[in-house]
Structure formats: C-alpha cells, structure tokens
C-alpha cells in the first residue's frame, strides 16, 4: 500500500494543484466570501415578502379609494 502511494503521490499532487489553480476546490473562506456577495446582490435586486405584502395592501387600499371616488362621480353625474 505504501509503495503504491509513493508511486502515485506526484500524480495526486499534480491533480490537487490543478484543481486549486482552476478554482474547482475552494477554501471555506472563499466560499463564505462568495456567499456574502450573493446575499448582498439578492438584497439589492429582490424585495422581501414583508415589503411585498405591505405594497400589495397599499395598492388594495388605493383601489378601494379610487372605486369610492368613481362611485361618487357617477352618482353626481346621474343626479345632474
């Protein structure tokens, strides 16, 4: 077993160096850095569900108010 390991160790080292150079294998620090970058990009591009629901509620309130104004205008037009 030790003889096989000594025979193939240069090949294993070359493969590991290649993987590191091509950034196929990353360190936990690199992974954490990329994770933070992805989270920051997501925060800039996307809205939270809470903000979305608030905006949806505001649109609903505006629609109700516009409907009331429309009803008032139509009622006044019928009377006149």
């Amino acid at each position: 077993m030790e003889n096989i390991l000594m025979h193939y160790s240069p090949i294993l080292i070359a493969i590991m160096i290649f993987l590191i150079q091509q950034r196929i294998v990353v360190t936990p620090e690199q992974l954490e850095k990329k994770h933070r970058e992805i989270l920051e990009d997501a925060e800039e591009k996307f809205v939270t569900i809470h903000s979305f629901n608030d905006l949806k509620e505001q649109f609903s309130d505006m629609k109700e108010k516009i409907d009331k104004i429309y009803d008032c205008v139509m009622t006044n037009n019928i009377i006149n």
Side-chain angles (χ1 to χ4, degrees):
M1 180 70 178
E2 190 173 309
N3 193 16
I4 294 173
L5 194 60
M6 291 296 281
H7 181 68
Y8 289 109
S9 63
I11 296 171
L12 292 173
I13 291 171
I15 291 172
M16 288 301 296
I17 290 172
F18 174 78
L19 293 175
I20 291 171
Q21 284 179 344
Q22 297 301 317
R23 297 179 191 232
I24 295 173
V25 177
V26 295
T27 64
E29 292 172 0
Q30 292 169 328
L31 187 62
E32 178 63 29
K33 181 181 176 187
K34 185 54 93 173
H35 181 257
R36 277 186 260 123
E37 290 174 6
I38 291 171
L39 285 177
E40 289 171 2
D41 287 345
E43 287 175 358
E44 290 176 7
K45 293 181 182 178
F46 300 104
V47 68
T48 63
I49 192 72
H50 180 68
S51 298
F52 174 75
N53 287 334
D54 287 344
L55 186 63
K56 192 168 143 183
E57 185 178 317
Q58 288 176 1
F59 280 134
S60 176
D61 292 343
M62 283 177 38
K63 183 182 179 300
E64 289 175 13
K65 290 177 183 178
I66 291 171
D67 287 343
K68 287 180 183 178
I69 292 171
Y70 180 77
D71 289 341
C72 286
V73 168
M74 292 307 290
T75 317
N76 288 337
N77 280 341
I78 293 173
I79 294 174
N80 291 332

